Amino acid sequence: MARIGIYGGSFNPPHLGHSLAAREIVSHLELDRLLIIPAATPPHKALPAGSPDPDERLELCRLAFADIPKTEVCDLEIRRQGLSYTVDTLRTLRQAHPDDELFLMMGTDMLLSFASWRAPEEIVRLATLAVVHREESETVWNEVRQKAETLSRDLHARIVLVENRCVQISSTTVRRLLAMGAPNDLEPAVQKRILERGWYLTGADLKRLPFDRLAEISLSLHDEKRRPHVVGTSRTAEVLARRWGADPDLAARAGILHDITKALGPTEQLHLCRKYGMVLTELQRDNPKLLHAKTGAAVARAVFGEPDEIYEAIYWHTTGKADMSLLDKIIYIADYMEPNRSFPGVELLRRLVETDLNAAVFEGLDQSISLLRKQGRIVDPDSLAAWQCYHPDNDREEQTE
Ligand code: FE
Ligand code: FE
């Protein structure tokens, strides 16, 4: 009787997280074989921009898992037409391997939603559930244990918990970094193939795109919940540019790109800094969350071919600085008071920006510095310099715009 693991997923694309997990699973469960089963894509579900077709994705999986002992890529779900359900896959595998023990890999989130799957009682008859988990919070972990007990009692499920010490990597993040010209966390052969074929926007010329296309690509690189803010900032910046005599087109473009790397975590921010040769201050290194303005500016210039004015406006949009350009100020303040923002003081900013742009910038700086101080956080020296520069008592020459 052989022990066969089943590892399904979209693998779009397969990355180091997948291949490391496969190695761990094989050794932890002492598997004789591990089947990697890339999912078919349901006809109604649009794939992310630039994704390879299913056969090409299968090929990427073969490259990704080629060196992992006992692991093979299986085209079962991609060959099958229509929607794939786990239970269908298990039935087929059970027929092919009547005497073997099957282990179905799943994450903790999948175990928690297991009752809503198609035919859960049949799935647990066909396979042992192998729940791959990382160090989770006590609450999640208790939930998982309780769920496992319930399923064992009610459905006679066999469940094993597999500790996965691998880093968490998401395919979405991998795709975003590819589009931003900074591939990461891919097996070299997989990366090479992706770049050769230009998948995941790596082959697209994204320089100086017409605004609508730029907006489409930018929004595709954001999490759903941030999209209204990005659109709001762009529209507000365009309106402010008309009001204060800046270039509305540049303002709209800077607005739509200002948070372009915001969906990426600290590790990816530092990766982008290395890729784009950005020298960091100690404060920035210790607070990589603040880096999205810097990496966003680099991506706007290098990937989207935007001019220096836009680079600068994005670069300074979180901290501000002394002597900002007109566009810098517009992006700084549009980001702060676009229509989706709501906090005490936002109405004051909206009023001020109609009559006195510098006063609005000062008010924004003053509010954010006070908040940081209240939270006991360090204030960026550039923000302090900006605060001084735009302080109403400062007899800096009135700007003429
Ligand atoms: Fe931002
Ligand atoms: Fe923003």
Side-chain angles (χ1 to χ4, degrees):
M1 188 172 93
R3 294 163 69 84
I4 304 177
I6 299 156
Y7 184 6
S10 58
F11 301 107
N12 187 31
H15 52 63
L16 289 183
H18 295 128
S19 42
L20 293 170
R23 280 181 206 278
E24 289 240 328
I25 291 163
V26 169
S27 78
H28 190 102
L29 292 175
E30 298 173 342
L31 297 177
D32 299 295
R33 292 169 76 191
L34 175 63
L35 305 179
I36 306 291
I37 310 188
T41 27
H44 59 276
K45 203 179 152 201
L47 279 177
S51 296
D53 70 27
D55 282 319
E56 294 166 332
R57 187 155 45 89
L58 205 55
E59 193 50 39
L60 280 182
C61 287
R62 294 205 173 97
L63 293 171
F65 295 99
D67 294 336
I68 301 175
K70 300 181 176 164
T71 301
E72 54 206 276
V73 177
C74 169
D75 64 0
L76 188 67
E77 291 195 2
I78 282 182
R79 286 291 143 266
R80 189 166 55 214
Q81 297 298 309
L83 274 177
S84 280
Y85 289 102
T86 303
V87 68
D88 300 330
T89 304
L90 286 175
R91 281 182 196 138
T92 310
L93 291 172
R94 176 49 74 206
Q95 267 176 7
H97 307 280
D99 300 320
D100 297 326
E101 182 163 15
L102 303 179
F103 292 87
L104 177 67
M105 304 303 145
M106 58 174 68
T108 47
D109 50 334
M110 292 162 81
L111 181 81
L112 294 176
S113 67
F114 186 68
S116 65
W117 289 24
R118 171 171 287 207
E121 66 299 325
E122 191 180 346
I123 292 178
V124 299
R125 274 203 305 278
L126 293 166
T128 299
L129 308 185
V131 182
V132 181
H133 68 94
R134 304 178 68 240
E135 299 156 18
E136 258 113 7
S137 71
E138 197 58 26
T139 335
V140 175
W141 189 227
N142 282 335
E143 231 184 311
V144 168
R145 267 202 310 247
Q146 269 173 19
K147 187 75 186 178
E149 275 168 32
T150 317
L151 290 172
S152 310
R153 191 185 57 228
D154 298 351
L155 301 179
H156 307 292
R158 284 152 295 149
I159 301 177
V160 289
L161 300 171
V162 185
E163 196 183 328
N164 176 14
R165 282 159 298 155
C166 303
V167 279
Q168 191 88 340
I169 298 171
S170 92
S171 289
T172 308
T173 301
V174 169
R175 288 195 300 271
R176 285 173 176 157
L177 283 174
L178 280 163
M180 291 175 192
N184 200 22
D185 292 328
L186 292 162
E187 294 285 351
V190 172
Q191 181 170 321
K192 182 163 174 272
R193 177 68 57 90
I194 290 172
L195 297 180
E196 273 166 12
R197 301 293 163 86
W199 290 323
Y200 308 109
L201 299 174
T202 56
D205 181 3
L206 302 179
K207 295 205 165 51
R208 303 298 293 154
L209 294 174
F211 181 79
D212 288 349
R213 178 78 179 130
L214 182 67
E216 190 189 325
I217 303 250
S218 166
L219 295 179
S220 79
L221 297 172
H222 279 287
D223 290 338
E224 180 102 40
K225 64 176 196 316
R226 194 170 311 277
R227 288 177 193 154
H229 164 68
V230 170
V231 172
T233 303
S234 177
R235 290 198 181 135
T236 303
E238 189 178 353
V239 170
L240 291 178
R242 285 188 213 287
R243 166 70 185 83
W244 291 104
D247 182 332
D249 183 48
L250 285 186
R253 298 177 77 86
I256 209 76
L257 288 174
H258 83 285
D259 273 342
I260 190 75
T261 62
K262 181 88 177 188
L264 300 173
T267 318
E268 291 79 34
Q269 295 297 343
L270 293 172
H271 171 70
L272 281 172
C273 288
R274 278 193 298 277
K275 160 79 193 177
Y276 288 110
M278 316 197 80
V279 182
L280 301 179
T281 64
E282 209 179 312
L283 178 69
Q284 289 168 338
R285 256 198 314 277
D286 294 345
N287 296 279
K289 270 188 184 165
L290 301 176
L291 288 178
H292 79 278
K294 318 302 174 201
T295 55
V299 167
R301 185 158 69 186
V303 177
F304 295 97
E306 297 297 334
D308 290 348
E309 298 102 292
I310 288 185
Y311 174 92
E312 291 286 324
I314 296 177
Y315 192 93
W316 298 109
H317 88 265
T318 43
T319 58
K321 65 159 181 165
D323 301 316
M324 294 158 89
S325 74
L326 180 55
L327 188 63
D328 296 347
K329 292 182 210 169
I330 284 173
I331 295 303
Y332 177 83
I333 205 69
D335 180 34
Y336 221 124
M337 43 62 75
E338 58 87 17
N340 299 283
R341 296 279 198 195
S342 87
F343 54 88
V346 72
E347 286 308 328
L348 172 62
L349 285 175
R350 286 179 184 140
R351 276 198 308 276
L352 277 176
V353 85
E354 291 299 315
T355 52
D356 188 338
L357 188 57
N358 288 333
V361 167
F362 176 77
E363 180 60 30
L365 287 159
D366 195 56
Q367 287 184 19
S368 61
I369 291 172
S370 311
L371 185 66
L372 287 170
R373 290 211 164 120
K374 217 157 66 192
Q375 295 169 339
R377 288 156 67 192
I378 299 171
V379 179
D380 194 293
D382 288 313
S383 301
L384 294 174
W387 188 90
Q388 295 233 303
C389 174
Y390 294 101
H391 195 287
D393 292 347
N394 190 343
D395 50 8
R396 178 180 45 87
E397 259 174 54
E398 241 352 87
Q399 307 225 340
T400 46
E401 70 254 359

